[in-house]
Amino acid sequence: MAGLRTSVCCISLLLCMSLCLADQVKVNVRGVTSIARTDDTFVCATLDWWPSNKCDYGMCPWGQAGILNLDLSNKILANAIKAFNPLRIRIGGSLEDQVVYQVGNAVKKFPHFKKKADGLFGFSRGSLPMDRWDKLNALFNETNVKLSFGLNALIGKRKAKDSSLYEGDWNPQNARDFMAYTASKGYKIEAYELGNELCATGVAAKLTPEQYGKDIITLKKILKELYPDPSNQPKVMGPAGFYDTEWFQRFLEATGPDVVDVVTHHIYNLGAGRDPELINRIQDPFYLDEIAQTHRDLSKTVEKFGPWANIWVGEAGGAYNSGGRDVSHAFVNAFWYLDQLGMTSTFSHQSFCRQALIGGNYALLNTTTFIPNPDYYGALLWHRLMGTSVLQINHNGSPYLRAYAHCSKRKPGVTVLLINMSNSTSFDVSVNDDVNEYPDEYKLTANTGATPREEYHLTPKDGNILSDVLLLNGEPLVLTSTQDIPSLNPKLVDPASPITVAPDSYVFATIRDFKAPACA
């Protein structure tokens, strides 16, 4: 019996050692030159038009979170936006091409999106009253939002017989009246976007690239009339849909130089919200890598056919049809979201708009309580820590360890994001300056220096990756007694020690003594 106990103890000890010992990983950051740049307001979130009876898979997850029924006086909502200072917001979505603006000659009042079997996405037209628009802008002004607005691109068009193709020129009168009203009120609009997901095969409707290009040119002309001073003229964005090489090329050729300021595309690379494989895809680095080809191809297309334009991910919810009920709002979704932020930044995308700020299962804020979901804090930390210069980074470890590096935001040094998708392996990460052929005075082992390293370790409550409660350095992130966003304070670590990345976690680490020439 004693021998049996000894054997069991030995097996337990070996098991513990295999589980407790972390993999040693060397991460190399090339600090001499940057590989890409992002906009200073890279993190963006969307507000959508969906009414409360927008339902998928027997669920109706939008509640009172649509543009027309959202509680604009909610203090948590305002504080959540203010914390970014600024947050970029894009107003748009599937129903934007059925919105009539109640201004000018548009005196007929449409109901607020009623169910209609033969309507786009199963809904009738809806309308935006100007008093609602005034209240929205009061919130945006108070919270310092950088706002982009998606216009109805289908007004004046006719549906082709037995096809989702819409034909004819865009009638811009209602949109022009709306933009003129907006300008007269002094409301700040960063950009106007025309239509939603009308490119290539479309979703519920589509346009040819030549026709869409013609309509975009019309929008540009109107903005030049309404805003003759180029310094305050809103940008033109499009086509706000899924990337297709031929369609995007023909569209950019049709518009010609200096018409489209921002090329926008949408990402829903995780599949349907009800797909049982959703949670597995989020944790599969090989699957997540597949979307990189889209970012790469679009970057090449814009470089060749529209080098005057920037690129945004204009809408990305991960899983379509409002996201996954148990997954998209939980801690685990960060493996997709933060990896996408890191990946798109390496392809010089200037902004990444998360669907949605509030509403659906994929919201950054809980649709009912407005309390931030885990991804909200990941987005906020990215916004505060990751600067605009993207650095090359690589490592010799497991593919389940993802790594991204940027010059730190408004402070010296470099910030790395380390994402551990493994549920069993921890990593002890040493960060090194990979300068190779450059002079010795640039060489640096980043885990050295006099200044403490600043670390933000994000883990789920009780180790449950489906938890909505996020821990920062072991402490739960909860709103203050005044419903403010809590302070996000790092722990200070001896810079000579490795960065330990626990299983199912992610870490932002700022290394102040990393003297990267690209960040000077």
Side-chain angles (χ1 to χ4, degrees), residues 406-408 411-415 510-516 519:
H406 287 222
C407 295
S408 296
K411 289 185 179 180
V414 166
T415 297
T510 297
I511 307 164
R512 295 292 176 212
D513 287 331
F514 197 121
K515 302 186 188 309
C519 305

Side-chain angles (χ1 to χ4, degrees), residues 399-417:
Y400 287 86
L401 176 67
R402 313 286 272 194
Y404 298 98
H406 287 222
C407 295
S408 296
K409 196 166 191 176
R410 300 187 183 94
K411 289 185 179 180
V414 166
T415 297
V416 296
L417 168 61

Side-chain angles (χ1 to χ4, degrees), residues 9-238:
C9 289
C10 290
I11 292 171
S12 299
L13 179 61
L14 289 171
L15 181 60
C16 178
M17 290 176 64
S18 66
L19 292 175
C20 298
L21 290 177
D23 281 4
Q24 308 299 308
V25 178
K26 180 187 290 186
V27 168
N28 297 309
V29 176
R30 181 175 283 271
V32 175
T33 57
S34 62
I35 60 170
R37 292 189 67 84
T38 69
D39 191 83
D40 194 50
T41 312
F42 179 69
V43 172
C44 167
T46 68
L47 288 173
D48 209 307
W49 294 97
W50 288 121
S52 57
N53 58 345
K54 153 67 173 171
C55 305
D56 299 290
Y57 319 127
M59 302 173 293
C60 306
W62 281 86
Q64 301 295 307
I67 293 163
L68 297 175
N69 55 18
L70 179 63
D71 179 7
L72 303 179
S73 65
N74 186 279
K75 188 175 181 180
I76 300 175
L77 174 65
N79 288 341
I81 298 173
K82 283 179 182 177
F84 282 83
N85 192 33
L87 176 63
R88 176 173 275 146
I89 288 180
R90 175 228 182 205
I91 287 182
S94 298
L95 296 183
E96 80 176 55
D97 291 304
Q98 301 196 110
V99 179
V100 174
Y101 316 111
Q102 291 301 316
V103 63
N105 294 325
V107 294
K108 180 181 178 182
K109 290 188 177 181
F110 293 94
H112 287 348
F113 298 120
K114 300 297 183 182
K115 287 280 191 178
K116 184 181 179 184
D118 60 347
L120 281 181
F121 300 97
F123 285 91
S124 68
R125 280 185 172 182
S127 64
L128 174 62
M130 289 304 96
D131 60 346
R132 180 65 177 179
W133 182 230
D134 295 338
K135 292 174 183 176
L136 283 160
N137 278 278
L139 173 65
F140 299 149
N141 290 336
E142 175 197 350
T143 56
N144 193 28
V145 163
K146 297 179 74 171
L147 184 66
S148 300
F149 188 92
L151 296 165
N152 183 341
L154 295 183
I155 293 181
K157 297 184 182 294
R158 61 188 179 278
K159 190 174 182 292
K161 186 176 181 181
D162 300 324
S163 172
S164 60
L165 179 68
Y166 279 69
E167 300 173 322
D169 293 341
W170 176 50
N171 182 345
Q173 187 59 54
N174 186 230
R176 191 188 194 287
D177 290 342
F178 170 71
M179 289 185 285
Y181 176 88
T182 300
S184 71
K185 288 285 189 174
Y187 297 152
K188 296 177 181 178
I189 305 294
E190 182 182 20
Y192 282 105
E193 192 171 39
L194 187 60
N196 185 79
E197 297 178 352
L198 301 173
C199 57
T201 58
V203 177
K206 65 182 179 182
L207 301 176
T208 67
E210 289 76 19
Q211 181 62 62
Y212 184 77
K214 185 178 181 181
D215 297 339
I216 280 279
I217 291 171
T218 299
L219 173 59
K220 187 74 169 186
K221 289 178 179 176
I222 293 171
L223 288 175
K224 286 182 176 180
E225 294 171 8
L226 295 177
Y227 298 87
D229 181 357
S231 66
N232 68 352
Q233 188 179 110
K235 299 180 180 68
V236 170
M237 305 199 309

